[in-house]
């Protein structure tokens, strides 16, 4: 008979809060923003008052760890679901501060009117009305006895229905005695099982990733600086997106501002580049792969818990080493010089805008590859070549999508054990054969929509080659990407729809070109045959109705750099399919030439 994987118990709210205060339950999100609005806190208190259910908390007990002296330390519970509810309870009942979305420490004051049995967020009008208790934490945190508080309230409000008010105040004082469900997951469960259980018992179907579990382990650790490490990851990611947050962080977390982490990230206050805006998952993946030579974040969770994979026991020394290694990886990730050199390399491959990068995993592995090669002392020029090629290869082959962790694990092992030039050549031979370029890539371009990587890699090839936009004499594709040029249907959508072509047909990748908005507007819904007739007249008359191209040679050059076959100039619905077929081959050939020039 298989053992129960978790236990379900009802606990008094005051007991849960006491466990949190004592550290028996660790709240990993305590340093992250409290995302509930104040009205949601009010509604939670009203539900408890009314006796309505408020859901379950989910805790996962840390395994017992063997200490250096041979003794055993009992693992504490980590709250992995219900952080916002517990934080709301601590704020409303105990009067504790919360960290808001601006990382400022604020108090949430929930008021209660015992006459009408109504909760509300405290406001100036309530503060002036003696019927209201402006802050229920003054009642519930044990700062006054029920008898003395009730007597004082009735004395201040002699006109109220005393029996009703006394009963309401009794119910208010009883909130901390209400119960809340606590699901406790067993300590010996592996991360995959915990993830599956979490998804199944979470009423909202929320997926908690292995990165979330890792962050929980980090934040709940006090012995090895886990809380500051957690803050460093969160703050860095926040600053990367919003540099203006720097002053807020400095003003509201003066203790963190004294750490080495803070010094490592100060450069972000003036950084507005959005090519690579990592989140906490990205930071963990890169740091873990760099320092541990692994890709599966479930392994990181185990190592931070002190797991010995050979003996299947948990040892304090392993946990200590793991935290130290992860700290080093995070510090390296945040290094200004390394980060900027890496993004410069990706930009030099033609990816001039963050929206062109459709795979964070590819960026993460490329950054990790860059850092590993730097650490191995590889020639800088070769590093640039290797990182560009591997990054684009991942995008084209889907190596960084789907169930990628096993592939990444294998790749990390190979690149640390072999000369990377040899490994790259082997991989290219395996996945980038002539059949890939001539058949597989051409078939991949036979798709609709721009969500996939292929059109973005094609645009990167154009940006790298300094190609001009469609029908532009001077404006480059790189300029258009960064200045939000138009992605235009070469055969206009409206024109093709007249002939009954569906979205899947007119939104073909091979029917897209990037161009200046003003030129796009003038083309309208004319078929290519019609608007090319206008272009030829423009050349004959030396006018400038459609951009600045004034010679036939320049026009043909522009078509060539935009992979547009001559048949396009005679484009009508009758030869649309032939045009697509020819252009896919030209686009694939351009991408191939681009790749081997990286």
């Amino acid at each position: 008979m298989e053992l129960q994987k978790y236990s379900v118990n009802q606990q008094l709210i005051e007991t849960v809060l006491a466990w949190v205060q004592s550290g028996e339950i660790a709240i990993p999100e305590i340093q992250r923003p409290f995302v509930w609005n104040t009205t949601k806190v009010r509604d939670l208190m009203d539900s408890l008052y009314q006796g309505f259910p408020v859901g379950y908390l989910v805790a996962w007990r840390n395994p017992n760890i063997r200490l250096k002296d041979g003794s055993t330390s009992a693992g504490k519970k980590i709250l992995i679901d219900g952080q916002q509810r517990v934080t709301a309870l601590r704020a409303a009942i105990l009067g504790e501060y919360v960290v808001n979305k601006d990382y400022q420490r604020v108090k949430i004051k929930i008021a209660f009117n015992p006459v009408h049995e109504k909760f509300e967020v405290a406001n100036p009008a309530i503060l002036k009305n003696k019927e209201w208790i402006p802050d229920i934490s003054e009642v519930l945190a044990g700062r006054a006895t029920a008898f003395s508080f009730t007597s004082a309230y009735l004395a201040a409000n002699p006109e109220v229905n005393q029996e009703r008010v006394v009963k309401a105040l009794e119910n208010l004082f009883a909130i901390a005695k209400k119960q809340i469900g606590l699901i406790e997951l067993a300590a010996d469960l592996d991360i995959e099982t915990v993830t599956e259980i979490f998804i199944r018992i979470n009423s909202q179907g929320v997926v908690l990733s292995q990165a979330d579990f890792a962050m929980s382990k980090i934040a709940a650790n006090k012995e090895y600086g886990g809380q500051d490490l957690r803050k460093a990851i969160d703050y860095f990611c926040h600053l990367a997106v919003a540099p203006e947050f720097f002053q807020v962080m400095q003003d509201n977390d003066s203790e963190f501002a004294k750490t080495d982490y803070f010094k490592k990230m100060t450069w972000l206050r003036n950084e507005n580049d959005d090519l690579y805006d990592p989140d906490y998952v990205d930071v963990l993946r890169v740091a873990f792969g760099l320092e541990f030579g692994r890709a599966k974040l479930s392994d990181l969770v185990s190592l931070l818990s002190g797991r010995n994979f050979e003996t299947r026991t948990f040892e304090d020394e392993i946990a200590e080493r793991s935290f130290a290694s992860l700290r080093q990886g995070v510090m390296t990730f945040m290094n200004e010089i390394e980060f900027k050199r890496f993004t410069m390399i990706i930009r030099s491959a033609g990816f001039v805008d963050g929206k062109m990068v459709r795979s964070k995993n590819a960026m993460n592995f490329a950054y990790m590859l860059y850092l590993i090669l730097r650490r191995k002392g590889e020639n800088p020029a070769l590093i640039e070549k290797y990182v560009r090629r591997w990054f684009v290869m991942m995008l084209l082959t889907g190596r960084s999508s789907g169930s990628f962790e096993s592939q990444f694990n294998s790749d990390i092992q190979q690149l640390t054990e072999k000369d990377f030039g040899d490994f790259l050549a082997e991989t290219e031979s395996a996945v980038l054969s002539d059949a890939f370029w001539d058949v597989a890539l051409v078939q991949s371009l036979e798709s609709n929509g721009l969500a996939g990587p292929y059109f973005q890699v094609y645009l990167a090839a154009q940006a790298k080659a300094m190609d001009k936009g469609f029908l532009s004499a001077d404006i480059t594709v790189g300029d258009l990407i960064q200045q939000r040029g138009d992605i235009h249907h070469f055969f206009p959508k409206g024109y093709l729809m007249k002939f009954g072509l569906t979205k899947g047909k007119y939104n073909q990748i091979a029917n897209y070109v990037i161009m200046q908005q003003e030129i796009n507007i003038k083309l309208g819904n004319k078929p290519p045959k019609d608007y090319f007739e206008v272009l030829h007249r423009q050349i004959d008359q030396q006018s400038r109705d459609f951009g600045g191209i004034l010679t036939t040679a320049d026009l043909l050059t522009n078509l060539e750099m935009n992979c547009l076959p001559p048949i396009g100039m005679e484009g009508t619905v009758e030869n649309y399919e032939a045009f697509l077929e020819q252009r896919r081959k030209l686009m694939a050939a351009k991408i191939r030439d681009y790749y081997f020039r990286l």
Side-chain angles (χ1 to χ4, degrees):
M1 180 177 175
E2 192 168 345
L3 296 176
Q4 181 78 8
K5 292 180 171 62
Y6 61 90
S7 60
V8 182
N9 295 291
Q10 295 291 324
Q11 301 290 348
L12 298 179
I13 287 176
E14 63 181 6
T15 300
V16 172
L17 294 180
W19 284 344
V20 171
Q21 287 183 307
S22 68
E24 172 63 20
I25 291 182
I27 302 183
E29 302 292 307
I30 195 65
Q31 300 297 349
R32 302 190 83 193
F34 179 64
V35 297
W36 276 18
N37 57 40
T38 51
T39 56
K40 199 166 182 179
V41 180
R42 176 204 64 195
D43 293 344
L44 175 65
M45 301 313 297
D46 184 62
S47 294
L48 288 170
Y49 181 86
Q50 301 288 347
F52 297 154
V54 293
Y56 283 88
L57 307 176
V58 183
W60 182 20
R61 181 175 286 280
N62 268 330
N64 296 338
I65 290 183
R66 191 179 70 209
L67 301 177
K68 296 174 185 177
D69 62 5
S71 61
T72 300
S73 174
K76 296 179 179 179
K77 302 181 184 76
I78 295 179
L79 196 64
I80 61 173
D81 187 38
Q83 296 97 327
Q84 298 291 308
R85 271 170 293 165
V86 171
T87 302
L89 291 171
R90 296 176 74 184
I93 294 177
L94 302 180
E96 294 186 0
Y97 284 90
V98 300
V99 180
N100 68 12
K101 63 181 180 179
D102 295 320
Y103 288 80
Q104 295 173 318
R105 293 179 73 250
V106 297
K107 269 198 173 185
I108 297 175
K109 295 183 179 180
I110 303 300
F112 178 67
N113 187 320
V115 177
H116 301 287
E117 296 186 86
K118 181 180 179 182
F119 289 89
E120 193 52 80
V121 179
N123 58 50
I126 285 175
L127 294 176
K128 296 176 183 177
N129 188 336
K130 59 185 180 180
E131 265 193 13
W132 285 85
I133 301 168
D135 183 0
I136 61 173
S137 70
E138 295 296 326
V139 179
L140 300 179
R143 299 184 182 95
T145 65
F147 178 78
S148 62
F149 186 88
T150 302
S151 299
Y153 182 89
L154 293 175
N157 297 274
E159 71 285 357
V160 301
N161 182 322
Q162 292 194 6
E163 182 177 349
R164 181 174 179 177
V165 165
V166 169
K167 186 175 180 180
L169 289 175
E170 286 176 351
N171 288 337
L172 178 66
F173 270 97
I175 281 181
K177 301 289 185 183
K178 296 293 178 69
Q179 293 186 330
I180 190 168
L182 178 64
I183 299 173
E184 186 176 336
L185 306 182
D188 58 354
L189 295 178
D190 57 55
I191 183 71
E192 289 81 7
T193 304
V194 172
T195 303
E196 183 180 354
I197 291 174
F198 176 88
I199 294 170
R200 292 191 181 204
I201 63 181
N202 190 291
S203 60
Q204 297 175 348
V206 176
V207 176
L208 199 66
S209 71
Q210 294 172 359
D212 292 318
F213 286 127
M215 292 292 270
S216 297
K217 292 285 187 181
I218 293 167
N221 178 277
K222 294 182 180 179
E223 291 87 350
Y224 309 125
Q227 292 182 339
D228 277 345
L229 178 57
R230 172 61 179 266
K231 280 187 182 183
I233 296 170
D234 282 332
Y235 283 160
F236 182 89
C237 297
H238 194 85
L239 279 172
V241 176
E244 65 276 8
F245 169 69
F246 179 83
Q247 195 60 49
V248 175
M249 178 182 70
Q250 190 173 32
D251 292 343
N252 291 284
D253 201 342
S254 57
E255 287 303 310
F256 183 79
K258 299 174 185 176
T259 66
D260 291 339
Y261 295 118
F262 178 81
K263 296 172 186 175
K264 275 287 185 183
M265 66 178 72
T266 54
W267 62 275
L268 284 173
R269 61 183 164 183
N270 300 314
E271 184 62 40
N272 292 300
D273 186 2
D274 67 349
L275 185 61
Y276 184 30
D277 286 338
D279 59 24
Y280 65 92
V281 181
D282 306 321
V283 176
L284 287 177
R285 288 204 180 281
V286 175
F288 185 49
L290 174 66
E291 298 297 336
F292 296 80
R294 294 170 178 258
K296 294 183 178 179
L297 290 182
S298 58
D299 289 346
L300 176 59
V301 175
S302 297
L303 287 165
L304 293 175
S305 301
R307 183 175 179 81
N308 184 321
F309 288 102
E310 293 182 3
T311 63
R312 297 186 178 183
T313 58
F314 294 87
E315 301 169 15
D316 186 51
E317 290 185 24
I318 294 176
E320 183 177 8
R321 287 199 306 271
S322 298
F323 269 93
S325 295
L326 184 61
R327 178 184 185 276
Q328 180 59 47
V330 171
M331 292 288 276
T332 303
F333 185 105
M334 297 191 300
N335 183 282
E336 178 183 8
I337 293 174
E338 305 294 14
F339 193 92
K340 287 185 174 179
R341 282 180 178 170
F342 167 69
T343 54
M344 178 182 67
I345 291 171
I346 299 300
R347 195 177 299 277
S348 73
F351 292 85
V352 296
D353 187 273
K355 292 186 178 180
M356 297 177 69
V357 181
R358 301 301 175 93
S359 172
K360 269 293 192 66
N361 287 330
M363 283 291 276
N364 295 338
F365 194 93
Y367 189 27
M368 179 179 60
L369 170 62
Y370 165 81
L371 293 172
I372 289 174
L373 293 177
R374 286 275 292 167
R375 187 171 287 181
K376 292 174 70 173
E378 185 64 82
N379 180 283
L382 286 177
I383 290 177
E384 293 178 20
K385 172 186 173 181
Y386 292 158
V387 171
R388 282 193 293 260
R389 282 203 179 182
W390 194 270
F391 175 67
V392 174
M393 182 270 292
M394 284 192 290
L395 295 177
L396 291 174
T397 61
R399 201 177 188 88
S400 58
S401 59
S403 302
F404 63 90
E405 282 191 336
S406 295
Q407 180 65 66
F408 278 14
N409 246 354
S410 175
D411 289 343
I412 293 170
Q413 184 177 354
Q414 294 289 322
L415 72 91
T416 53
E417 293 178 355
K418 294 183 178 180
D419 173 84
F420 187 75
D422 294 339
F423 178 47
L424 175 61
E426 291 173 8
T427 305
E428 288 175 339
S429 296
V431 301
L432 298 179
S433 64
D434 288 343
F436 171 82
W437 298 113
D438 298 336
V439 181
L441 181 56
V442 175
Q443 290 177 344
S444 296
L445 290 168
E446 190 176 348
S447 60
N448 61 337
L450 305 178
Y454 306 108
F455 188 68
Q456 299 305 322
V457 173
Y458 167 72
L459 290 181
Q462 286 201 288
K464 176 74 171 172
M466 298 293 289
D467 289 341
K468 304 298 192 299
F470 177 51
L471 301 183
S472 292
D474 301 297
I475 306 299
T476 67
V477 170
D479 294 331
L480 291 170
I481 292 169
Q482 294 178 83
Q483 301 304 321
R484 303 295 183 260
D486 282 3
I487 301 295
H488 165 70
H489 292 81
F490 182 81
F491 278 73
K493 176 175 68 174
Y495 167 73
L496 294 175
M497 289 175 67
K498 292 178 184 177
F499 297 92
L501 272 72
T502 60
K503 185 176 181 180
K505 285 292 185 181
Y506 60 69
N507 277 349
Q508 285 284 305
I509 288 177
N511 193 31
Y512 286 117
V513 289
I514 188 167
M515 65 192 308
Q516 293 168 245
Q517 185 181 59
E518 59 271 24
I519 299 176
N520 189 11
I521 292 171
K522 288 186 177 181
L523 296 184
N525 281 324
K526 304 181 191 71
K529 184 176 186 298
D530 289 358
Y531 65 72
F532 271 100
E533 287 179 1
V534 177
L535 276 164
H536 289 310
R537 285 199 302 271
Q538 170 178 302
I539 292 171
D540 292 339
Q541 299 169 6
Q542 294 294 285
S543 62
R544 294 179 183 272
D545 295 328
F546 288 91
I549 293 177
L550 297 176
T551 70
T552 300
D554 286 345
L555 175 59
L556 294 175
T557 299
N558 186 269
L559 296 182
E560 182 181 359
M561 66 178 57
N562 283 282
C563 297
L564 294 164
I567 192 177
M569 290 191 287
E570 299 297 324
T572 62
V573 69
E574 287 78 16
N575 61 14
Y576 177 58
E577 286 294 341
F579 163 80
L580 292 177
E581 184 177 347
Q582 291 180 34
R583 190 168 188 236
R584 288 185 197 111
K585 294 178 181 178
L586 292 173
M587 293 173 77
K590 188 179 190 77
I591 293 172
R592 178 177 189 167
D593 181 65
Y594 153 77
Y595 179 83
F596 287 108
R597 289 176 182 269
L598 288 173

